[in-house]
Amino acid sequence: QVQLVQSGGGLVQAGGSLRLSCAASGSVSIIKTMGWYRQVPGKQRELVAAITSTGTTNYADSVKGRFNISRDNGKNTVYLQMNSLKSEDTAVYYCKLERGIGAVVWGVHWGQGTQVTVSS
């Protein structure tokens, strides 16, 4: 079993910053990708940012230049530094971990979610 524990988030004014963390434990061998998604009521969960085991990153266009994803492989932890936050960034943020190699994914795990609220 894989457990993902998220921390960070909360309430911040527009223009401010927050940092999210997600630590994985349990059967976390062969981690392929770790990432962050977000969801608002009535909408589908969307990708915010992801990072592969080799450090390749991918960002949603809406957060490019403002958010930065990083990863500590030794700690099995992924971080999301969010700067210049906007009201439209308000959402529940979820950490996601994929286990696998190359094109093969044999496990997908989600964190518990954490609320990020940006006041304008």
Side-chain angles (χ1 to χ4, degrees):
Q1 285 288 355
V2 174
Q3 295 80 40
L4 299 178
V5 177
Q6 298 181 213
S7 60
L11 175 64
V12 66
Q13 288 189 332
S17 298
L18 284 174
R19 188 192 196 208
L20 304 180
S21 300
C22 174
S25 62
S27 302
V28 293
S29 61
I30 320 294
I31 297 176
K32 175 178 164 63
T33 304
M34 297 185 78
W36 292 93
Y37 287 69
R38 66 188 181 188
Q39 188 170 23
V40 297
K43 292 190 175 182
Q44 288 190 333
R45 194 171 295 186
E46 64 175 8
L47 172 70
V48 176
I51 183 167
T52 68
S53 58
T54 57
T56 300
T57 58
N58 181 34
Y59 293 91
D61 288 342
S62 60
V63 306
K64 284 180 180 177
R66 300 187 298 122
F67 290 12
N68 183 69
I69 188 170
S70 61
R71 175 173 172 172
D72 184 332
N73 289 331
K75 296 182 178 179
N76 294 321
T77 299
V78 64
Y79 306 94
L80 184 68
Q81 177 65 42
M82 303 184 292
N83 300 321
S84 302
L85 282 160
K86 305 175 181 180
S87 58
E88 51 263 45
D89 295 318
T90 296
V92 177
Y93 284 70
Y94 296 90
C95 172
K96 179 184 178 183
L97 180 153
E98 292 182 347
R99 291 188 294 140
I101 297 177
V104 179
V105 176
W106 56 68
V108 177
H109 309 275
W110 292 92
Q112 79 275 19
T114 187
Q115 178 69 46
V116 171
T117 302
V118 184
S119 62
S120 56

